[in-house]
Amino acid sequence: MISKSELERKWENYKYEAPAQPAITYYTIYEKAKALKHWIYDPEIKRWQTPEEFLELEKRISGGEPKRLERLQIKDPMEGVNAAYEQLQALKDRMEIFVKRVIEYYR
């Protein structure tokens, strides 16, 4: 019989370990947003914050809760303005259709 080489035995027992991710801190999020001239967006609660507002809130309240920090996004605030405009336009269109139906019904 052919015996397995030491290298083959090591390979069979090899377990991949992902490299450690650098820790996300509220200050690194603040610095990145500030450098990009972007804001911080929390998609779970649909809230936009300036980098300064974010930094102040994190210092006072949450202190950089890891799970919360992981979900945050650094975005151009104009994306939020455009999304809000689209939502308002869709709501306006729905309202106009409803008003038209009501008027036609009572004619």
Side-chain angles (χ1 to χ4, degrees):
M1 276 206 154
I2 302 173
S3 65
K4 292 184 178 180
S5 71
E6 188 174 334
L7 182 60
E8 288 173 319
R9 284 192 300 268
K10 285 183 179 180
W11 183 252
E12 285 177 351
N13 297 325
Y14 176 75
K15 290 183 179 134
Y16 175 76
E17 292 180 22
Q21 295 290 330
I24 298 173
T25 66
Y26 69 87
Y27 198 76
T28 57
I29 292 172
Y30 162 79
E31 286 180 322
K32 185 175 179 182
K34 191 80 171 157
L36 293 171
K37 297 183 179 179
H38 285 182
W39 287 21
I40 294 100
Y41 178 67
D42 186 337
E44 187 173 296
I45 60 173
K46 297 180 179 13
R47 181 175 183 193
W48 288 88
Q49 294 174 293
T50 67
E52 294 77 16
E53 291 168 340
F54 171 75
L55 184 62
E56 182 60 32
L57 185 68
E58 289 300 314
K59 283 180 181 178
R60 286 187 305 126
I61 298 174
S62 79
E65 179 188 328
K67 289 189 180 197
R68 188 175 105 66
L69 295 179
E70 289 173 6
R71 73 174 184 246
L72 298 178
Q73 301 170 0
I74 297 171
K75 294 180 148 194
D76 184 340
M78 287 308 295
E79 288 181 44
V81 170
N82 291 336
Y85 178 76
E86 288 173 16
Q87 288 176 349
L88 284 173
Q89 190 61 45
L91 185 59
K92 180 181 173 274
D93 293 346
R94 288 177 49 206
M95 183 197 67
E96 287 174 354
I97 291 168
F98 179 68
V99 168
K100 191 175 191 179
R101 286 180 56 213
V102 170
I103 291 171
E104 286 178 9
Y105 180 81
Y106 286 104
R107 279 191 178 168

